[in-house]
Amino acid sequence: MGCSLACLCLLGCVLYPLAQCTVPASEFRLEGDYLIGGLFEIHYEAFPTFHGRPQTMDCSSKFLILSNYRRFQLMRFAVAEINNSTSLLPNVTLGYEVFDHCTDAQSFSDVFKLLSVNNVIQPWNVPNKNVSKVVAVLGLFSSTSTLTVAPLFMSDFIPLISYGSSSSIFSEKAKFPSFLRTVHSSKKVMEVIVKILQYFKWHWVAFLYSSDDYGTDGLKLFIEKIKDTEICLAYTHSLDSSHYLSVFNQIDAQRINLIVVFAPHWHAIPLVQAAIRHNVTGKVWIAGEAWSLNKELPKEKGIKNIGTVIGVSQPVVTIPGFEDFLYSVKKGNRCESTEQQFCNQIYNCSQESADILAADPSYSFSVYSAVYSTAHALHNVLNCDFGKCDNGIPISPPVLLAQLKKSNFTLLTERVQFDENGDPRFGSYAVLFWNQTGDPENFGTCWFYPSVKIFINDSKIQWHSKEVPISQCSKDCKEGYAKRIEGIHQCCFKCEICPNGTFVNRTKDPFNCIDCEEHQWSAAGSTSCLPRTVEYVAFTDTAAVVILVGAGLLLALTLAMCVLFAINYNTPVVRSAGGPMCFLILGCLSLCSISIFFFFDKPTVAFCVLRFLPFVLFYTVCLACFVVRSFQIVSIFKIAAKFPQAHSWWMKYHGQWLVISVTFVIQAFLIIVSVSSDPPSPFRDIVSYPDKIILGCFMNLKTSSVSFVLLLLLCLLCFIFSYMGKDLPKNYNEAKAITFCLLLLILTWIIFTTASLLYQGKYIHSLNALAVLSSIYSFLLWYFLPKCYIIIFQPQKNTQKYFQGLIQDYTKTISQ
């Protein structure tokens, strides 16, 4: 008996340690009332082997992605946390069935397992048939893998919640009706990257991408986002080979200092390692969210030489309790049997917890929120309330999908919601750089809702060049210079200064010089236009005052002469000057001066007409008077004796008044015709001066030319008759006076015409008024003033006897 007890005790001592080291249950499966399917790329097959027939892949022999294993453990933690909750899914246990999806070509067995009901796959859901306990599937990470398996779940509207697939194609609900994701679309990521490029004014960019769906979609989105910006895509290349040297040589040849790398980390790591190996220096690298938080690359020897690495990623969120969970799981798994196996799902459990926790922490909240979204949707479908759920309610994929789309709950301070495309309406992105110690350091944040906004604190960045690097094909133009594109890229250009009257708006259109408006001006090299100065001679202007005083003095002199001539009307001097015709001439000269008053102030149609009409009409009458007066004097002394009948007819029918009247009527008719067809009108001279607008009057010289021809004809006749009477008695000899007046008249208008050709400023109208005034004064001073002088100061010469003596002397001279 004693011997038997001793043997039992010995056997117990041997079996007790063995009982403490039993092989634990698989990490890949947990029983529960409802199962969540999981697809995680824990291992990765970079170069699949071709097989003649379908074969199951041994994933454990492939490359381990520790960051994905970390995410897998995070899913397990979330399920355990929900099962321990008394408020979420009370009296309901969640389970999971997870598969290591290490290849797209040979991992369909795991997908079929999730779709099967009692190990049978139905082509579509049949009513009143058993359904799978898998209520939703969590996965996958890469877009290509998700595109491969997603259609299998879409046919039965099984919710597929991805924590890492960011390709924009998944937002198309017609193709992926039951797809949701807790990671932002690549479209949002590209918006952040483009905003970073714009902030630092990096316009000359190389884009390297993976040749899978994730990379090609990123390239397409990047091209769309930079379409209406100043950013140029100088070079693109897919990372489907290891020939990186030619890629780097091409980037250096095009002087590109900014490289966007949009690829998973298993493509990005070899690329960066090759850059270190080939001594690529002085670049700025923009890392997509797939590798911006990578833990291995920042520790590579020589990583600091390649330049500055800037990344875009989800903010690192600490999941409370996850670290303790991972240590407890690994502590329980320390066994002699270092491998766990379930349905070809194998993982070497000897990995240290510290190594797992040190892996890339990105997408942690994406996995965590995906599990909780499923739990909350299930909670609502089961009508969970007052600490219990109605387990009798049948769960169908479309019903759970509808609740998932309505998700609205708070998780770790984030409000979890989905938009109409199944994309997350929560979360933000961090903008970071790899500091000198190799750790990611945040220097900016980007929010997506309600609109995309970014905040950057660039003072935190430790640039490799000590200042913000430049990546441009051509240096920016100076202000006032427009860009002239050279080649096919708008970033390659030469700078040309914008000429007078144009400006360049570098914000709206840096490539064209824009013409200023008619009322504006600009100097060469301007960035905006200035208002032109509108100029005209006001009545208060000094020049106007002087000319108007001169016109007033002219009227006073004319009136004084009329009074003087009226008093001495019957004297020989007045009669020799023309008698009653003197009053007509003086009256017309006074009426001519009306035009002077309309050369000032802002011109109107009436002003422009009155500048022209009074002077031309009444000056014509004046010239006609001098013509007939000159002819009449010549006729008395020279023509009357030879042609007595003609002289008699002239005197009988008052030929002088007939000529004056006809001339007046003709000129009035010509003026009425010209004014009616094309009247003088206000004119804005915008050509003569770039910074001024000169207000004036425009007169059509073609329609008015006949009036001016008549004036010239009268001047010519006047000059001819004056010349014919050059040898008449002194007191009857008007040749010198009239000729001198005509010369002054011609000289005045030659000076004005020359000035108008050389000068187009506002004072040209003052010169025009002065020319009119001078034309009037020429006859007033050199024809009438000498006669006034004789009347006032030499009355002895203003007698009949004196004039008769002159005539007798002239007769003797002629007879000799």
Side-chain angles (χ1 to χ4, degrees), residues 188 425 447-453:
K188 299 290 186 183
R425 296 191 63 182
W447 297 270
F448 298 117
Y449 296 97
S451 60
V452 178
K453 295 180 180 178

Side-chain angles (χ1 to χ4, degrees), residues 483-710:
K483 300 175 180 178
R484 294 289 179 261
I485 298 176
E486 295 181 324
I488 61 173
H489 290 290
Q490 66 175 10
C491 293
C492 301
F493 51 82
K494 62 180 180 179
C495 300
E496 292 183 359
I497 191 168
C498 288
N500 293 335
T502 64
F503 72 100
V504 60
N505 188 328
R506 298 176 66 182
T507 303
K508 293 183 178 179
D509 185 6
F511 299 97
N512 293 298
C513 296
I514 305 169
D515 292 330
C516 293
E517 298 290 336
E518 183 180 289
H519 61 280
Q520 296 177 325
W521 76 285
S522 67
S526 296
T527 57
S528 62
C529 292
L530 299 173
R532 286 190 178 192
T533 303
V534 179
E535 291 191 348
Y536 59 91
V537 181
F539 282 112
T540 56
D541 193 272
T542 304
V545 171
V546 171
I547 294 172
L548 291 175
V549 168
L553 182 61
L554 183 143
L555 291 173
L557 285 174
T558 305
L559 180 60
M561 288 180 181
C562 286
V563 173
L564 182 63
F565 278 32
I567 295 172
N568 298 277
Y569 181 75
N570 294 317
T571 61
V573 171
V574 174
R575 288 184 176 279
S576 67
M581 196 178 292
C582 292
F583 298 101
L584 178 60
I585 296 172
L586 290 171
C588 287
L589 290 176
S590 299
L591 292 173
C592 285
S593 65
I594 294 174
S595 296
I596 297 171
F597 294 91
F598 296 97
F599 279 94
F600 309 106
D601 206 17
K602 288 185 178 179
T604 62
V605 175
F607 269 48
C608 291
V609 171
L610 291 173
R611 284 185 186 185
F612 160 75
L613 190 148
F615 175 72
V616 174
L617 180 61
F618 295 112
Y619 209 77
T620 300
V621 177
C622 292
L623 287 176
C625 290
F626 283 112
V627 168
V628 297
R629 180 61 188 154
S630 301
F631 174 77
Q632 197 168 356
I633 294 172
V634 173
S635 176
I636 292 172
F637 286 95
K638 293 189 176 184
I639 301 177
K642 296 180 181 180
F643 305 99
Q645 291 182 352
H647 180 264
S648 177
W649 182 90
W650 175 269
M651 297 301 294
K652 180 180 178 181
Y653 293 102
H654 304 287
Q656 69 271 25
W657 300 110
L658 183 62
V659 171
I660 293 170
S661 299
V662 170
T663 305
F664 173 78
V665 171
I666 293 173
Q667 186 66 286
F669 174 76
L670 294 175
I671 290 174
I672 291 172
V673 170
S674 65
V675 170
S676 301
S677 60
D678 190 4
S681 57
F683 173 68
R684 294 161 59 91
D685 182 5
I686 61 174
V687 177
S688 300
Y689 297 93
D691 58 338
K692 299 176 184 178
I693 297 177
I694 309 299
L695 300 185
C697 290
F698 171 77
M699 184 170 61
N700 192 332
L701 294 178
K702 289 183 179 180
T703 58
S704 305
S705 58
V706 181
S707 296
F708 293 115
V709 168
L710 181 58

Side-chain angles (χ1 to χ4, degrees), residues 220-287:
K220 182 191 72 173
L221 292 171
F222 185 73
I223 293 174
E224 289 178 2
K225 293 297 179 184
I226 67 173
K227 186 178 296 182
D228 297 324
T229 68
E230 294 182 348
I231 300 170
C232 295
L233 185 56
Y235 178 72
T236 64
H237 198 276
S238 63
L239 304 177
D240 53 359
S241 67
S242 58
H243 301 295
Y244 298 122
L245 181 58
S246 61
V247 174
F248 296 138
N249 289 339
Q250 189 66 27
I251 290 174
D252 283 336
Q254 297 191 46
R255 305 187 309 278
I256 304 170
N257 293 326
L258 193 288
I259 305 172
V260 177
V261 181
F262 201 76
H265 70 274
W266 51 83
H267 284 296
I269 290 175
L271 174 71
V272 176
Q273 290 174 338
I276 297 172
R277 192 166 55 252
H278 293 300
N279 196 30
V280 176
T281 60
K283 306 295 183 185
V284 176
W285 304 75
I286 303 292

Side-chain angles (χ1 to χ4, degrees), residues 425-452:
R425 296 191 63 182
F426 59 89
S428 59
Y429 268 46
V431 185
L432 52 92
F433 75 100
W434 293 356
N435 60 24
Q436 296 297 321
T437 60
D439 297 320
E441 184 175 338
N442 287 13
F443 69 90
T445 306
C446 186
W447 297 270
F448 298 117
Y449 296 97
S451 60
V452 178

Side-chain angles (χ1 to χ4, degrees), residues 283-304:
K283 306 295 183 185
V284 176
W285 304 75
I286 303 292
E289 60 177 343
W291 65 281
S292 58
L293 295 180
N294 188 273
K295 299 294 184 178
E296 302 169 11
L297 275 179
K299 309 299 181 184
E300 288 277 344
K301 184 178 179 181
I303 189 68
K304 296 179 183 178

Side-chain angles (χ1 to χ4, degrees), residues 15-89:
L15 293 177
Y16 179 77
L18 295 175
Q20 300 302 311
C21 194
T22 58
V23 177
S26 171
E27 290 184 333
F28 292 89
R29 182 174 176 82
L30 177 68
E31 292 295 336
D33 298 325
Y34 299 96
L35 297 182
I36 299 177
L39 296 172
F40 287 84
E41 294 142 305
I42 298 174
H43 295 86
Y44 174 68
E45 170 61 24
F47 304 101
T49 305
F50 174 77
H51 296 279
R53 60 180 182 176
Q55 294 186 12
T56 302
M57 173 67 68
D58 180 11
C59 291
S60 62
S61 63
K62 306 305 176 185
F63 176 73
L64 171 66
I65 304 176
L66 195 58
S67 57
N68 276 348
Y69 180 73
R70 185 183 191 277
R71 293 163 192 141
F72 159 58
Q73 291 294 342
L74 191 56
M75 174 190 170
R76 296 183 64 221
F77 164 71
V79 171
E81 196 173 49
I82 292 168
N83 286 336
N84 291 329
S85 172
T86 57
S87 58
L88 183 61
L89 291 177

